[in-house]
């Protein structure tokens, strides 16, 4: 080989190596970098759409199986426990039925690395795949479900759990505990074409990397960070519009459609959706506000819940523009939840004689009236837009379920009856739908709605009927304690949680 050819060959190799290193170190959205794993014939790509907060990934590769892998990987270095979640879909018809997409956790970027992957194949096969030792054969646990839309992979200690669902349905899961990948790992999204001559593409929405609460976290004294999210009901895609390192809770959507209202550390804030900035709301001497706050239907008044000198939560009323609140409830605890459409009544959850029930009280002041008397917790009351009904949640039949009664407390009727704990029904402004939050009974007691759990947001027809999941998230207390529908009933605001915040920046509306 001549010196000139040798020099050109060296330069080409160096350029290729440099481009691979540069590509691997270039952040992609919330990920640290991207890499082709193994000797792929065509380099893969990963791109982040800031407006949609989605990822489009392309890649080739022979397979992810046997003793080595070939695929494209968009990754982040992590330690400890985490939850990985996304909606995933192939783009186009595809060539090979065993093309693969999903989440992966790897010990290294070497082609034969130990790893665990949550895999969906082009033909629908869904499995939890794993390689226990470097350069060794792989194994898998198959699911009965075919071609799910939502993929989740969670690490808790040395236990890995894969959960999948068709959009609208609950998760089904498989787990494995005998694969030791080490604490310091690469986590990310992947695609493999299962054919070295072919490049496949996929899109990933609702991508979340969550660092959950540690086992020693002290509830209601220590808090994780918060993501303020806006969910599009038509597409079921959610965008993070604001992130805080502390706890923010319970976003109300204000009447003008341009602002939200939430609480944080005893104070209330309005959030401008155009400028993506929060502003503290003046609540005078009432500065221990919790996450039970609600606006009147005309958008002029705000009922808040805040402890007084006795330490018990009381109900207060103030103008939506701020000011010194007027005390409403004479005794506590009292937690404000809903105004009547005519503005004359406020319904709340009150504890009297160690029993929590639904009460109503005149918004102008006056004696309170007890509406529920059945033993067990009744909470979260809220009027329908026509004022005929009050929706609430009750534990009276064993698990927490959604109920409805007439505005005078009569005809109390159970609307949900499943194997979950369902809280805080919120009726859409158009009067067609109920949104509520669902906790797993394996994680919570029926009368509790704690922070930092696996939860679902679900909707059902206002008169009752089949429910469908509209969001899969890590949250709980503070996620949707208050009405969070947009005025046009097309969007929902909610809070999700993580102890590690990634640089997702607000996008223009």
């Amino acid at each position: 080989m001549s010196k000139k050819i040798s020099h050109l060959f060296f330069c080409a190799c160096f350029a290729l190596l440099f481009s691979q290193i540069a590509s691997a170190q270039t952040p992609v959205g919330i990920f640290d970098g991207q890499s082709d794993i193994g000797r792929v014939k065509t380099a893969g790509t990963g791109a982040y759409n800031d407006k949609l907060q989605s990822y489009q990934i392309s890649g080739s590769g022979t397979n992810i199986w046997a003793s080595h892998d070939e695929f494209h990987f968009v990754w982040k270095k992590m330690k400890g426990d985490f939850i990985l979640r996304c909606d995933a879909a192939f783009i186009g018809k595809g060539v090979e039925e065993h093309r693969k997409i999903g989440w992966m956790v790897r010990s290294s970027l070497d082609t034969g690395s130990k790893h665990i992957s949550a895999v969906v194949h082009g033909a629908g096969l869904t499995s939890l795949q794993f390689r226990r030792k470097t350069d060794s054969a792989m194994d898998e646990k198959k699911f009965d479900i075919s071609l799910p839309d939502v993929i989740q992979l969670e690490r808790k200690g040395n236990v890995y759990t894969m959960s999948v669902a068709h959009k609208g349905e609950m998760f089904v899961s498989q787990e494995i505990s005998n694969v030791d990948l080490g604490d310091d790992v690469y986590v990310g999204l992947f695609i493999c074409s299962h054919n070295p001559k072919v490049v496949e593409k996929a899109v990933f929405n609702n991508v979340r990397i969550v660092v959950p609460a540690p086992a020693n976290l002290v509830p209601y004294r220590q808090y994780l960070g918060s993501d303020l999210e806006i969910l599009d009901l038509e597409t079921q895609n959610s965008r993070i519009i604001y992130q805080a390192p502390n706890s923010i809770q319970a976003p109300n959507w204000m009447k003008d459609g341009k602002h939200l209202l939430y609480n944080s550390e005893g104070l209330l804030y309005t959030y401008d959706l155009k400028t993506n900035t929060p502003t503290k709301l003046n609540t005078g001497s009432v500065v221990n506000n919790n996450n039970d706050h609600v606006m009147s239907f005309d958008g002029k008044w705000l009922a808040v819940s805040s402890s007084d000198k006795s330490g018990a939560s009381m109900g207060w009323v103030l103008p939506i523009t701020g000011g010194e609140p007027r005390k409403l409830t004479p005794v506590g605890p009292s937690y404000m939840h809903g105004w009547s459409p005519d503005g004359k009544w406020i319904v709340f959850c009150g504890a009297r004689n160690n029993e929590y029930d639904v009460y109503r009280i005149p918004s102008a002041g006056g004696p309170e009236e007890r509406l529920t008397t059945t033993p067990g917790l009744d909470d979260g009351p809220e009027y329908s837009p026509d004022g005929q009904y009050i929706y609430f949640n009750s534990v009276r039949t064993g698990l927490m379920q959604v109920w409805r009664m007439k505005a005078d407390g009569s005809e109390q009727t159970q609307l949900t009856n499943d194997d979950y704990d369902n809280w805080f029904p919120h009726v859409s402004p158009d009067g067609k739908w109920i949104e509520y939050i669902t906790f797993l009974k394996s994680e919570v007691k029926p009368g509790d709605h704690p922070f930092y759990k696996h939860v679902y947001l679900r909707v059902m027809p206002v008169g009752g009927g089949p429910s469908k999941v509209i969001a899969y998230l890590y949250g709980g207390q503070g996620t949707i304690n208050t009405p969070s529908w947009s005025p046009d009933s097309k969007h929902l605001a909610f809070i999700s949680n993580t102890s590690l915040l990634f640089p997702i920046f607000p996008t223009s509306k």
Side-chain angles (χ1 to χ4, degrees):
M1 180 183 294
S2 68
K3 290 183 178 180
K4 183 176 181 180
I5 294 175
S6 177
H7 176 72
L8 290 174
F9 178 76
F10 172 80
C11 290
C13 291
F14 179 81
L16 177 61
L17 177 62
F18 179 80
S19 67
Q20 289 175 338
I21 294 173
S23 174
Q25 294 178 342
T26 302
V28 184
I30 61 175
F31 297 95
D32 296 339
Q34 58 179 307
S35 304
D36 284 308
I37 306 300
R39 295 183 178 181
V40 301
K41 291 186 178 294
T42 304
T45 61
Y48 175 62
N49 184 317
D50 180 72
K51 184 176 182 180
L52 299 177
Q53 294 183 358
S54 66
Y55 297 80
Q56 183 169 311
I57 301 175
S58 70
S60 58
T62 302
N63 204 352
I64 303 173
W65 198 249
S67 61
H68 68 279
D69 311 315
E70 295 177 11
F71 65 97
H72 191 68
F73 192 33
V74 178
W75 50 264
K76 183 174 187 67
K77 289 294 293 292
M78 294 193 70
K79 295 182 178 182
D81 295 342
F82 48 75
I83 304 166
L84 317 173
R85 188 189 317 107
C86 71
D87 297 352
F90 290 102
I91 298 175
K93 186 178 180 180
V95 176
E96 301 291 341
E97 67 175 12
H98 284 295
R99 57 182 176 156
K100 300 176 176 72
I101 55 174
W103 284 105
M104 185 179 292
V105 182
R106 287 182 85 82
S107 294
S108 75
L109 298 179
D110 297 336
T111 184
S113 171
K114 296 183 292 183
H115 80 267
I116 288 180
S117 50
V119 182
V120 175
H121 297 240
L125 174 65
T126 303
S127 60
L128 176 60
Q129 299 183 349
F130 47 94
R131 180 182 291 124
R132 292 186 176 89
K133 297 181 179 180
T134 303
D135 298 327
S136 68
M138 287 184 61
D139 204 348
E140 67 179 340
K141 286 188 172 184
K142 296 181 180 180
F143 285 74
D144 292 332
I145 189 173
S146 178
L147 209 63
D149 308 291
V150 188
I151 309 171
Q152 179 174 284
L153 182 59
E154 178 177 7
R155 178 165 85 170
K156 190 173 184 179
N158 199 32
V159 177
Y160 291 83
T161 304
M162 176 182 174
S163 302
V164 291
H166 294 128
K167 269 192 174 183
E169 299 177 358
M170 310 297 240
F171 277 135
V172 293
S173 303
Q174 298 261 23
E175 73 174 39
I176 184 74
S177 59
N178 58 344
V179 182
D180 183 9
L181 303 181
D183 188 47
D184 195 353
V185 291
Y186 293 82
V187 307
L189 300 168
F190 72 87
I191 187 167
C192 174
S193 67
H194 200 70
N195 185 327
K197 299 179 181 180
V198 172
V199 174
E200 295 285 4
K201 297 180 180 180
V203 62
F204 301 84
N205 292 303
N206 295 324
V207 177
R208 302 289 184 266
I209 299 179
V210 174
V211 177
N216 61 354
L217 181 137
V218 181
Y220 299 94
R221 291 183 179 228
Q222 297 174 311
Y223 298 92
L224 302 187
S226 309
D227 290 338
L228 174 57
E229 304 198 34
I230 299 292
L231 175 70
D232 185 313
L233 269 296
E234 182 178 358
T235 64
Q236 292 182 35
N237 288 337
S238 182
R239 293 183 303 113
I240 296 173
I241 63 169
Y242 182 70
Q243 295 179 299
N246 60 336
S247 179
I248 66 175
Q249 303 170 26
N252 296 111
W253 211 303
M254 300 182 77
K255 188 73 172 180
D256 63 7
K258 300 177 181 179
H259 296 83
L260 303 175
L261 181 141
Y262 62 78
N263 65 285
S264 180
E265 298 178 350
L267 302 177
L268 293 176
Y269 294 83
T270 58
Y271 184 85
D272 190 314
L273 290 167
K274 184 177 181 179
T275 62
N276 292 296
T277 53
T279 302
K280 185 175 71 173
L281 180 70
N282 174 26
T283 57
S285 60
V286 177
V287 292
N288 295 304
N289 296 282
N290 58 50
N291 57 30
D292 293 315
H293 40 78
V294 63
M295 290 171 284
S296 59
F297 273 79
D298 62 10
K300 296 180 179 180
W301 296 94
L302 178 65
V304 300
S305 308
S306 181
S307 59
D308 64 4
K309 294 180 181 179
S310 71
S313 176
M314 300 290 185
W316 311 76
V317 174
L318 69 155
I320 194 66
T321 52
E324 183 63 30
R326 168 175 54 86
K327 192 173 183 179
L328 184 66
T329 55
V331 295
S334 300
Y335 303 96
M336 305 296 102
H337 279 279
W339 289 74
S340 61
D342 61 11
K344 295 181 179 180
W345 296 93
I346 296 176
V347 284
F348 65 96
C349 172
R352 311 290 185 261
N353 299 316
N354 296 316
E355 186 69 35
Y356 284 87
D357 280 296
V358 173
Y359 291 79
R360 70 176 181 178
I361 190 169
S363 59
E368 62 186 30
E369 179 183 351
R370 186 179 180 184
L371 299 180
T372 62
T373 58
T374 304
L377 173 63
D378 297 316
D379 199 355
E382 183 177 315
Y383 282 90
S384 59
D386 60 13
Q388 294 186 32
Y389 293 99
I390 296 171
Y391 291 82
F392 65 104
N393 49 274
S394 176
V395 76
R396 66 185 66 178
T397 56
L399 294 176
M400 188 62 75
Q401 299 294 332
V402 175
W403 287 69
R404 182 179 75 177
M405 60 184 167
K406 286 195 171 181
D408 61 2
S410 64
E411 297 184 18
Q412 297 181 17
T413 305
Q414 186 172 344
L415 298 182
T416 61
N417 186 18
D418 56 27
D419 207 29
Y420 300 91
D421 285 296
N422 302 310
W423 286 78
F424 302 129
H426 303 308
V427 184
S428 59
D430 62 12
K432 295 180 179 179
W433 299 96
I434 301 171
E435 172 210 20
Y436 60 96
I437 186 170
T438 294
F439 292 80
L440 307 180
K441 72 173 186 178
S442 60
E443 290 193 351
V444 303
K445 297 178 181 178
D448 197 11
H449 55 289
F451 286 100
Y452 316 140
K453 299 295 180 182
H454 292 285
V455 295
Y456 301 100
L457 298 186
R458 295 202 280 175
V459 296
M460 67 178 178
V462 72
S467 296
K468 66 177 181 179
V469 179
I470 54 172
Y472 308 78
L473 62 137
Y474 186 73
Q477 176 73 279
T479 291
I480 59 157
N481 294 55
T482 61
S484 56
W485 289 89
S486 62
D488 62 6
S489 300
K490 293 182 178 180
H491 297 84
L492 287 165
F494 65 90
I495 300 295
S496 60
N497 299 109
T498 176
S499 63
L500 180 61
L501 296 172
F502 299 114
I504 296 177
F505 299 104
T507 56
S508 60
K509 303 298 177 289

